[in-house]
Amino acid sequence: MDARERLIVALDGDWELDELIRTAGAFSRTAGMVKLGNRPFTRHGPEAIRRIERSGTGVFLDLKFFDIPNTVANACREAVHAGSAMINVHALGGAEMMRRAREAVDDAWDGTGKRPLLIAVTILTSFDDAQLAEVGIASTMAEEVKRLAALAHACGLDGVVASPMEIDLIRETCGNDFLIVTPGIRPKEDMGKDDQKRVLTPGEAVRRGADYIVIGRPIIQAPNPIAAAQAIVREMEAV
Ligand code: C5P
């Protein structure tokens, strides 16, 4: 994979639809994908995916589906029909839910372009061991992340979203043929500027084994977002 393809730009801003499409389209030659999460999707719906996809930028639909298997499978179908290049579900939804999601994605894909990627979220990085215990999970964070990554792998998912600090653990557990998508990345000059605490630079993340990196504010809030994205790609190329 080339460095440009590895970059996913998180579009979490408060944009009207046309502005969102323009912003996404501007990255068509600099990034592999843009990430649409709950906020822009709830506001603009699948039309946003369709229009961004038509502008030549791939969409990572970050809605983290978690429901009964049939409902998640149908949601995955809709996400593929809308043109998503990457979709995610919560591994905590269980093996049957993940298997049904896998089948739905493969079945809904029309065979053109690249097969949409299906990724699992293990434990949200906003959780700590105390919060895990609060919801009745007695394992440590590392044990739980490991267990859920292995389950996602066994269910045929393409990879997981993981914090930069979990890359080694997941590689050890799931091998090299399993995608790792990492947020919590900061270019060196942006270290310590915002709320992301346990961060790596783009180069370090790729060196450690991340396949895709998700970066939002350091690109979107830069005076020249395209130049900021290009600098990140150059840093990854140098690895
Ligand atoms: O602006 P920033 O680079 O922090 O954006 C990172 C994106 O990745 C945001 O959309 C954020 O919600 C998401 N994310 C994260 N940490 C996680 C999982 C997702 O920052 N562990």
Side-chain angles (χ1 to χ4, degrees), residues 155-236:
C155 293
L157 269 67
D158 296 299
V160 284
V161 181
S163 110
M165 307 305 153
E166 293 164 352
I167 295 174
D168 291 345
L169 178 72
I170 289 162
R171 278 277 164 258
E172 243 169 63
T173 311
C174 301
N176 288 332
D177 200 16
F178 193 59
L179 299 172
I180 299 181
V181 181
T182 14
I185 304 293
R186 288 290 173 265
K188 270 199 194 75
E189 57 281 9
D190 286 66
M191 285 288 179
K193 274 198 199 160
D194 57 40
D195 57 352
Q196 293 277 17
K197 298 274 183 290
R198 297 183 305 148
V199 293
L200 289 185
T201 65
E204 283 166 345
V206 170
R207 244 189 312 276
R208 285 207 194 181
D211 296 286
Y212 292 94
I213 61 166
V214 177
I215 308 190
R217 288 162 292 178
I219 292 177
I220 296 303
Q221 293 174 1
N224 182 341
I226 301 298
Q230 284 166 339
I232 289 166
V233 170
R234 276 197 301 275
E235 186 185 327
M236 290 192 285

Side-chain angles (χ1 to χ4, degrees), residues 44-126:
H44 300 300
E47 190 190 346
I49 308 173
R50 288 192 195 99
R51 287 182 54 189
I52 293 173
E53 205 263 332
R54 279 203 299 269
S55 79
T57 309
V59 175
F60 169 17
L61 186 64
D62 178 23
L63 300 183
K64 303 183 183 69
F65 295 136
F66 187 168
D67 209 313
I68 59 171
N70 189 55
T71 301
V72 167
N74 286 333
C76 287
R77 262 175 219 289
E78 297 294 349
V80 171
H81 288 153
S84 310
M86 184 184 277
I87 300 163
N88 60 3
V89 300
H90 269 285
L92 279 169
E96 192 196 339
M97 190 202 81
M98 287 194 279
R99 278 194 217 103
R100 292 280 306 277
R102 169 83 279 165
E103 285 165 16
V105 166
D106 294 348
D107 187 53
W109 177 47
D110 65 5
T112 61
K114 286 190 187 153
R115 188 177 70 118
L117 296 169
L118 181 64
I119 303 292
V121 173
T122 57
I123 297 292
L124 292 170
T125 44
S126 53

